[in-house]
Amino acid sequence: MKLLVTGGAGFMGSYFVKYVLRQKPEWEVITLDKLTYAGDTSKLDQALEDPRHTFIEGDITDGQHMEEIVSHYSVDVIVNFAAETHVDNSIEEADPFIRTNITGVHTLLEIANKYGIRMLQISTDEVYGSIEEGYSDERAAFRPNNPYSASKASADLLCRAYYQTYGVDVVRTHSCNIFGPYQHEEKFIPKCVRHILKGEHLQLHGDGLNVREWLYVEDHARAVLLVLEESEAGDVYNIGSYDELTNREMEIKILERMGKDPSWIQYTEDRQGNDRRYGLDSSKVRDLGWEPQISFEEGLTRAVNWYAERLNPKR
Ligand SMILES: NC(=O)c1ccc[n+]([C@@H]2O[C@H](COP(=O)([O-])OP(=O)(O)OC[C@H]3O[C@@H](n4cnc5c(N)ncnc54)[C@H](O)[C@@H]3O)[C@@H](O)[C@H]2O)c1
């Protein structure tokens, strides 16, 4: 099996590449990444030395280059993690999100169709929009509320349409908030750790009661590989943990791990388009035999310790 993992030098993609190489000794992996500010080949660490792994710098919107790769390496499956991923950036400037998250996915779908290969698209719980209670299953309507989630939802719809219209073997996953070491510093947990290291208050937007569901990154990689192997064309799977926390609870847990109390929290104005709660019904992927193996508390300790050792408080 030859896998092309796009966006594989990012946070979640790099874990997936390393996990596949460990689990599947007979598989080959080609990682393609544009190496934007969020991508870094060092995240791939031991995979860079593996003879079954090739790294290529490239852009998923470059159809000609993508096609050359698929044809040259006789790729069997494209797993697409590549995206612009930071909601705040999408509010500042949506253009790169439209280009990579929509046009890029369209480019990959065209190639999957032309070469008759499978594609797995990594999407997000944010496409379902805010739900105050209950859980969104895979049939829930899309109600994205910010440019990032709208771009991801658009890609999901293109995937659905390419399956319905052309019969492309495309599968999608919607993941909750993923966390662990190697995440870009702009994201919630590393950002909190850096503020604490600098001796600064933690900002908490609005009333701090927005709820997110958190899953450790290695458990996510396990779920994606399982879905890749067990799913059928057109399938959709939610990947969630049921570990729901308000942003205030999350900040308190990070502060606790760094020996600080809640007085370090400072309330600030709410963010634009800040959804109240996401909640995934992940029973479908659990029916395949998956469940998280790393508890939320253990995962958070690992992540906080990792960032506390590495982040530079002077920046
Ligand atoms: N992190 C989360 O909590 C979360 C939750 C649900 C879904 N997702 C989705 O999972 C995927 C991976 O997220 P992540 O947290 O690892 O993001 P990330 O920002 O860490 O990584 C994204 C990677 O994509 C690369 N990239 C960006 N534009 C590209 C392009 N045009 N061509 C090729 N590569 C490009 C970047 O260089 C980077 O390496 C994304 O599709 C994201 O929408 C993330």
Side-chain angles (χ1 to χ4, degrees):
M1 176 78 86
K2 285 193 185 162
L3 237 56
L4 171 60
V5 182
T6 48
F11 168 54
M12 287 154 59
S14 61
Y15 272 90
F16 179 71
V17 168
K18 290 181 278 188
Y19 182 69
V20 168
L21 289 169
R22 282 200 306 273
Q23 293 299 312
K24 300 285 177 188
E26 70 285 9
W27 288 19
E28 288 176 38
V29 179
I30 300 120
T31 299
L32 175 130
D33 199 290
K34 187 177 175 183
L35 298 180
T36 67
Y37 77 96
D40 186 343
T41 52
S42 69
K43 293 182 209 265
L44 289 159
D45 47 44
Q46 71 266 28
L48 294 170
E49 311 297 323
D50 194 318
R52 293 173 296 128
H53 178 250
T54 306
F55 177 79
I56 300 170
E57 188 171 342
D59 185 332
I60 58 165
T61 64
D62 182 347
Q64 197 182 334
H65 190 202
M66 296 306 304
E67 198 174 330
E68 277 165 20
I69 293 166
V70 166
S71 145
H72 177 78
Y73 290 95
S74 304
V75 167
D76 298 300
V77 182
I78 302 172
V79 183
N80 181 39
F81 287 87
E84 288 291 337
T85 59
H86 197 45
V87 174
D88 291 353
N89 292 346
S90 79
I91 294 169
E92 288 295 315
E93 193 196 356
D95 269 13
F97 288 76
I98 306 303
R99 215 171 312 120
T100 290
N101 300 2
I102 305 177
T103 307
V105 171
H106 175 237
T107 307
L108 298 179
L109 285 166
E110 280 288 316
I111 293 167
N113 189 19
K114 181 167 175 183
Y115 287 83
I117 59 174
R118 164 163 270 219
M119 174 167 158
L120 196 156
Q121 165 69 3
I122 308 293
S123 187
T124 167
D125 56 0
E126 298 200 26
V127 299
Y128 299 124
S130 194
I131 55 164
E132 296 275 330
E133 53 190 37
Y135 298 95
S136 309
D137 71 14
E138 290 82 356
R139 290 159 304 179
F142 286 177
R143 294 189 178 88
N145 289 321
N146 59 61
Y148 162 72
S149 52
S151 69
K152 295 295 290 186
S154 306
D156 282 316
L157 294 177
L158 279 172
C159 291
R160 178 190 152 85
Y162 268 63
Y163 167 67
Q164 296 286 350
T165 308
Y166 306 110
V168 173
D169 179 2
V170 56
V171 175
R172 294 180 275 132
T173 57
H174 295 283
S175 315
C176 65
N177 270 23
I178 308 299
F179 74 101
Y182 289 102
Q183 199 161 20
H184 191 275
E185 276 186 44
E186 69 193 357
K187 299 289 173 21
F188 192 100
I189 296 171
K191 201 157 125 187
C192 288
V193 172
R194 189 156 52 84
H195 278 299
I196 299 167
L197 290 173
K198 284 170 85 171
E200 291 172 357
H201 283 106
L202 292 190
Q203 308 284 304
L204 191 56
H205 296 281
D207 62 7
L209 299 182
N210 300 58
V211 174
R212 299 293 182 262
E213 182 179 352
W214 295 88
L215 174 68
Y216 194 69
V217 62
E218 276 171 16
D219 280 322
H220 181 261
R222 282 179 38 246
V224 172
L225 182 56
L226 186 66
V227 167
L228 185 64
E229 295 198 284
E230 299 296 326
S231 58
E232 291 177 11
D235 272 350
V236 185
Y237 283 89
N238 289 341
I239 302 176
S241 62
Y242 297 118
D243 284 319
E244 292 183 35
L245 282 91
T246 65
N247 289 343
R248 181 177 158 78
E249 287 169 334
M250 189 65 166
E251 290 199 350
I252 290 172
K253 283 183 183 293
I254 296 169
L255 284 163
E256 276 169 6
R257 281 164 172 77
M258 297 185 70
K260 309 289 183 207
D261 66 41
S263 67
W264 280 60
I265 294 177
Q266 194 170 54
Y267 287 88
T268 58
E269 209 179 307
D270 206 356
R271 303 159 81 183
Q272 291 169 288
N274 196 2
D275 286 331
R276 194 64 175 168
R277 174 178 174 268
Y278 305 122
L280 286 178
D281 176 340
S282 49
S283 51
K284 189 172 168 185
V285 71
R286 286 163 194 263
D287 286 347
L288 295 180
W290 175 89
E291 61 177 4
Q293 286 180 350
I294 294 157
S295 72
F296 169 76
E297 297 291 343
E298 164 62 18
L300 187 62
T301 301
R302 283 191 203 178
V304 170
N305 290 346
W306 194 87
Y307 292 115
E309 278 169 24
R310 284 165 184 80
L311 290 180
N312 180 357
K314 298 212 174 72
R315 284 174 49 206

